[in-house]
Amino acid sequence: MTVSVRKPRATAWQQRDFRVYLTGQCSSLSGSAVSTVAVPTLAVLDLHATTAQVATLTFLAQLPNFLVALPAGALSDRHPKRILMITGDLAAATVLVSIPVSAAIHTLTIGQLYGVVLLLGVAKVIHDAAAISYLPDLVGRELLQNANSKVGAAFSVADSAGNNAGAALVAALGGPDPCSPTCFRIW
């Protein structure tokens, strides 16, 4: 009688670089999901934005997907993908920080939110273009299907968690303070 010993199948989880990549991607996606919920809600509750203003905010958030995607793909082909991903996330974080700072000094406007969502969209498109093309370089062709399945599952969880965190953030901050048209109760 012979006993055959099966060699364990290699997976993307075994690669440290993949785990770091996935953690960073999930963090980025969760942050994007939080801002997708929180920024329009902020516009309505704190700035008393009209329906047209919220529609414009949503339109400007999606505009970079159509205008920047092609150049972002070319950019990610010609420059280090990891640097583009990190730069996109840092740019998004920097732009987002302007919201609480402006709210704290009572200068937040709908125009600023328009600029923030537009710049966030550009940063996200650049980040995503680099991230999509980085995965095959990271895990190799033989593990690409395994890695993509793990990325898809993790992204579903991260997006849902980000949306829920955005809703929780809005619930925690509450509506505007009646004594100040541009200041949340906690500030």
Side-chain angles (χ1 to χ4, degrees):
M1 177 168 129
T2 61
V3 177
S4 64
V5 178
R6 282 171 58 185
K7 199 164 110 179
R9 199 172 117 192
T11 68
W13 285 123
Q14 294 168 331
Q15 297 184 6
R16 180 189 174 280
D17 289 344
F18 174 74
R19 292 190 308 266
V20 170
Y21 166 86
L22 191 59
T23 302
Q25 288 297 95
C26 288
S27 298
S28 178
L29 182 61
S30 294
S32 294
V34 168
S35 62
T36 299
V37 172
V39 171
T41 306
L42 171 68
V44 170
L45 293 179
D46 201 42
L47 301 177
H48 307 289
T50 65
T51 305
Q53 289 172 322
V54 174
T56 302
L57 199 63
T58 303
F59 170 76
L60 290 173
Q62 295 300 318
L63 189 60
N65 291 331
F66 303 105
L67 297 180
V68 184
L70 190 59
L75 188 68
S76 72
D77 284 343
R78 290 170 177 77
H79 296 283
K81 293 164 183 56
R82 186 168 181 258
I83 300 294
L84 289 174
M85 291 165 47
I86 292 169
T87 302
D89 281 345
L90 289 175
T94 302
V95 169
L96 279 172
V97 165
S98 73
I99 294 174
V101 169
S102 294
I105 60 174
H106 309 292
T107 59
L108 184 63
T109 65
I110 192 70
Q112 179 182 350
L113 291 183
Y114 289 160
V116 165
V117 297
L118 190 61
L119 292 173
L120 278 177
V122 170
K124 183 177 179 352
V125 168
I126 290 171
H127 171 96
D128 290 350
I132 288 169
S133 58
Y134 186 51
L135 187 59
D137 294 342
L138 192 64
V139 298
R141 186 179 182 106
E142 67 281 355
L143 292 178
L144 189 56
Q145 182 180 4
N146 181 269
N148 273 326
S149 68
K150 288 174 179 26
V151 166
F155 278 19
S156 294
V157 172
D159 188 44
S160 180
N163 285 324
N164 289 327
L169 178 67
V170 168
L173 295 178
D177 184 355
C179 67
S180 173
T182 59
C183 187
F184 277 112
R185 281 186 220 131
I186 63 167
W187 287 324

